[in-house]
Amino acid sequence: MKKQKTENKVQICIDRDFTIGKVDKRIYGSFIEHLGRAVYEGIYQPGNKFADKDGYRKDVIKLIKEIGVPIVRYPGGNFVSAFNWEDSVGPKKNRPRRIELAWGVVETNEFGLDEFMNWCKKVKTEPMYAINLGTRGIEDAKNVVEYCNIKSGTLYSDMRIKNGVKDPYNIKLWCLGNEMDGPWQMGHMTAEEYGRKAGRAGHIMKLVDPTIETVACGSSGLGMATFGEWERIVLENSYDTTDYLSLHTYYGNQKDDTPNFLASSVAMDKFISQVVSICDYVKAIKRSDKTINLSFDEWNVWYHSNEQDKKLEKWVEHPHQLEDIYNFEDALLVGSMLITLLRHADRVKIACLAQLVNVIAPIMTSDTGAWRQTIFYPYMQASVYGRGEVLNTVVKVPTYESEHGDAPYVDSVVIADDENEALTIFAVNKNLEDDFELSCDLRQYAGYKVVEHSVLTHKDLKAINSEKNPDNVKPVDMTKSSKVTKGILTSKLPARSWNVIRLAK
Ligand code: AHR
């Protein structure tokens, strides 16, 4: 890789009337799959000293509330493609133990739809429920919407009431299967087959409850050979009953090449732009007024646990699976990925960090506690402070060549919250050696002052947090590094850092 001669300066140009779009809070969503220790020992562990009377881990709920996770996708993932939702409701003694083929384990169904909905209430989050379109059909899709959203007086709504839940759940957001383009997926289909099935499922589900929104499966990654054609054909067959198209992506630093790894957000940015183009192409040929928006409902770093997972014993209950231990450089990329999602706020309305607890997750648990992984911090800070209107920024910054194309040394985004007279800048300095000087003309924001400049940085790119050393990587206050003078904000972005600069009147 050729490093360009750079002046280590980044200039962010904004105009308060030029906006990209309002942040839909659902882009700070996450994901809980029946996989590894996400559910069992993650959010649910009856008998544990941190469990409440229903078996939910209180220490985990506290950390999730700290993030303010607005939606949680459930129950999968690959898991959902052979899942019978009926197994997961009603008296626990009647629930079957099943062979779980997606991850080679045994599923006890001790935790299911009713437990998840009860947990959502405690966490103060909304469900994003995925149906099985792999091994099951549209009849089952209809039944589960009836169970969840019809008040009473029908077979499935009365089943819910008999199971002790009087009021309907009113689940508003439904995923029409998971990664159906992937040959690994149980019930994998061609784009035509899936598009027709998703269209029919969405139709029948919306007959049961016209107020719901549906997410059709896009490609499970930009690298899929069917990418592009898959999106086009699926939408051509399901346009009228689909509201969002999904995108999934995971990145890894297998080659231990940090500059290229940190440039992965360039690939994510292209992925989003390309999917937007395909949605709009189908809109045009359909002469439709309806716009399909995006649900980036799986994104993260995932590679640390790949090798150890190959050695797992089969058909056991909730093993340690996909337990990536995240390091400091992973947190930088997660920060850049959040910035990328925000910069597409006009079309990305939903996104789910995959996943939430223990399985490729910001939160880890053991029998004796719960702690924050490195990636917890950019995710939490974006969710807490990244609410408002995303401004359309012109960012003048040097770039470096990467395998994903030219990558800016600094990724950044500005969010204006006019109601609360606040401005927030998120910025990642990907330069591993040099600090960058940031400047931004804020004269349209007369009287705004720096409230906080929080920085996540570390001398060791591979530094991690653990139960014994939970605070090894955590943000520090560097408010003194930022100031507004005569309406111009200047800041120092340390080499290799995630920055949150908050201003208010
Ligand atoms: O999040 C882990 C897995 O990654 C999900 O089950 C699947 O949808 C994706 O391939």
Side-chain angles (χ1 to χ4, degrees):
M1 186 177 316
K2 199 175 91 201
K3 194 175 155 190
Q4 292 180 352
K5 275 238 163 292
T6 60
E7 242 207 310
N8 297 332
K9 288 195 170 147
V10 51
Q11 187 189 351
I12 301 180
C13 310
I14 55 171
D15 184 307
R16 70 184 304 169
D17 291 324
F18 293 174
T19 61
I20 292 178
K22 192 169 184 304
V23 178
D24 187 322
K25 67 175 182 187
R26 295 175 302 174
I27 70 163
Y28 303 118
S30 191
F31 178 28
I32 288 280
E33 178 168 4
H34 279 257
L35 160 55
R37 300 188 308 125
V39 171
Y40 307 106
E41 295 184 19
I43 61 173
Y44 179 74
Q45 196 174 16
N48 179 272
K49 67 173 172 174
F50 296 108
D52 69 8
K53 64 171 185 17
D54 298 320
Y56 303 112
R57 286 277 298 246
K58 285 184 288 187
D59 50 347
V60 173
I61 291 177
K62 194 164 165 256
L63 289 176
I64 297 173
K65 283 188 176 163
E66 192 177 317
I67 301 167
V69 180
I71 53 163
V72 177
R73 185 167 174 253
Y74 173 87
N78 295 338
F79 167 83
V80 83
S81 293
F83 172 60
N84 298 331
W85 67 268
E86 302 90 332
D87 291 350
S88 78
V89 296
K92 293 198 181 188
K93 65 174 176 20
N94 299 339
R95 298 193 193 172
R97 285 170 66 82
R98 295 261 190 204
I99 185 162
E100 203 291 280
L101 297 166
W103 301 104
V105 295
V106 168
E107 172 57 52
T108 63
N109 285 303
E110 196 189 323
F111 184 102
L113 173 54
D114 292 331
E115 288 75 22
F116 175 68
M117 293 306 298
N118 189 16
W119 177 82
C120 284
K121 256 198 235 154
K122 295 190 191 222
V123 176
K124 296 198 189 319
T125 192
E126 292 295 324
M128 177 181 189
Y129 194 76
I131 59 162
N132 173 359
L133 280 191
T135 62
R136 303 194 81 185
I138 67 170
E139 166 86 13
D140 312 300
K142 169 181 76 65
N143 296 345
V144 67
V145 180
E146 182 185 325
Y147 182 89
C148 292
N149 287 11
I150 294 293
K151 203 162 174 250
S152 63
T154 66
L155 178 65
Y156 289 101
S157 59
D158 285 346
M159 184 195 278
R160 185 198 66 242
I161 294 169
K162 201 166 151 226
N163 289 340
V165 185
K166 186 170 158 283
D167 295 325
Y169 290 134
N170 282 324
I171 298 180
K172 290 294 168 216
L173 196 54
W174 295 78
C175 300
L176 304 173
N178 176 68
E179 293 189 349
M180 298 311 306
D181 63 322
W184 60 86
Q185 201 69 219
M186 292 175 280
H188 163 233
M189 281 171 262
T190 64
E192 282 86 1
E193 288 166 341
Y194 171 69
R196 286 171 71 79
K197 196 169 180 183
R200 288 167 179 178
H203 175 234
I204 199 166
M205 290 161 79
K206 286 184 175 185
L207 287 177
V208 180
D209 182 351
T211 70
I212 64 169
E213 292 190 307
T214 58
V215 183
C217 298
S219 293
S220 48
L222 189 53
M224 298 297 290
T226 48
F227 169 71
E229 279 297 274
W230 173 273
E231 279 73 5
R232 176 182 70 76
I233 295 166
V234 167
L235 284 182
E236 280 177 6
N237 283 283
S238 66
Y239 205 85
D240 293 342
T241 52
T242 293
D243 300 292
Y244 305 93
L245 190 65
S246 77
L247 299 84
H248 290 178
T249 205
Y250 296 97
Y251 299 114
N253 190 8
Q254 289 87 347
K255 291 189 243 156
D256 196 13
D257 175 349
T258 304
N260 266 320
F261 173 63
L262 295 182
S264 305
S265 53
V266 173
M268 186 187 199
D269 183 70
K270 281 186 202 160
F271 189 14
I272 295 172
S273 299
Q274 287 165 356
V275 175
V276 167
S277 302
I278 301 164
C279 291
D280 291 349
Y281 166 76
V282 181
K283 176 179 179 174
I285 57 168
K286 287 203 171 269
R287 278 98 174 136
S288 177
D289 288 331
K290 175 179 168 184
T291 299
I292 301 286
N293 284 318
L294 310 194
S295 171
F296 214 126
D297 45 44
E298 284 187 36
W299 68 271
N300 203 347
V301 172
W302 172 17
Y303 76 103
H304 297 283
S305 57
N306 292 166
E307 284 310 307
Q308 81 206 35
D309 284 352
K310 288 183 190 150
K311 299 176 206 141
L312 280 175
E313 193 191 335
K314 285 241 176 194
W315 319 130
V316 295
E317 290 174 27
H318 51 83
H320 290 251
Q321 212 166 4
L322 276 69
E323 296 204 1
D324 272 38
I325 305 302
Y326 289 114
N327 59 33
F328 165 61
E329 67 182 10
D330 298 329
L332 293 181
L333 181 59
V334 162
S336 280
M337 291 172 89
L338 284 158
I339 289 170
T340 307
L341 292 168
L342 283 163
R343 291 181 66 87
H344 287 278
D346 54 335
R347 298 303 290 272
V348 180
K349 301 293 173 186
I350 301 163
C352 303
L353 176 71
Q355 300 191 9
L356 188 53
V357 186
N358 288 334
V359 170
I360 44 174
I363 298 168
M364 294 300 288
T365 69
S366 72
D367 288 349
T368 48
W371 62 98
R372 303 166 184 83
Q373 294 232 58
T374 60
I375 64 168
F376 178 96
Y377 291 104
Y379 177 42
M380 177 272 285
Q381 291 183 315
S383 173
V384 172
Y385 299 118
R387 313 270 174 138
E389 197 80 36
V390 179
L391 297 184
N392 197 351
T393 51
V394 172
V395 184
K396 297 182 186 166
V397 62
T399 57
Y400 63 95
E401 285 172 26
S402 84
E403 61 191 28
H404 307 290
D406 283 350
Y409 274 110
V410 175
D411 280 334
S412 61
V413 69
V414 184
I415 298 150
D417 177 359
D418 285 347
E419 219 172 282
N420 295 305
E421 299 191 303
L423 265 185
T424 301
I425 300 175
F426 297 126
V428 172
N429 179 2
K430 297 188 247 185
N431 191 303
L432 302 180
E433 284 98 41
D434 300 328
D435 300 345
F436 262 64
E437 257 175 55
L438 176 146
S439 66
C440 183
D441 187 333
L442 293 181
R443 279 174 295 180
Q444 288 181 332
Y445 289 92
Y448 278 57
K449 295 187 189 71
V450 176
V451 174
E452 185 189 20
H453 180 174
S454 162
V455 177
L456 188 73
T457 187
H458 205 283
K459 58 184 183 320
D460 179 5
L461 287 168
K462 309 297 178 190
I464 59 161
N465 292 340
S466 62
E467 186 169 18
K468 280 205 180 115
N469 192 4
D471 295 330
N472 185 29
V473 182
K474 72 175 205 184
V476 292
D477 182 60
M478 286 189 48
T479 306
K480 286 196 183 119
S481 304
S482 291
K483 60 177 188 299
V484 180
T485 315
K486 294 189 181 153
I488 310 293
L489 167 74
T490 52
S491 278
K492 186 180 96 174
L493 310 178
R496 49 169 83 182
S497 63
W498 154 259
N499 299 263
V500 183
I501 303 166
R502 298 198 297 118
L503 301 112
K505 227 173 167 175

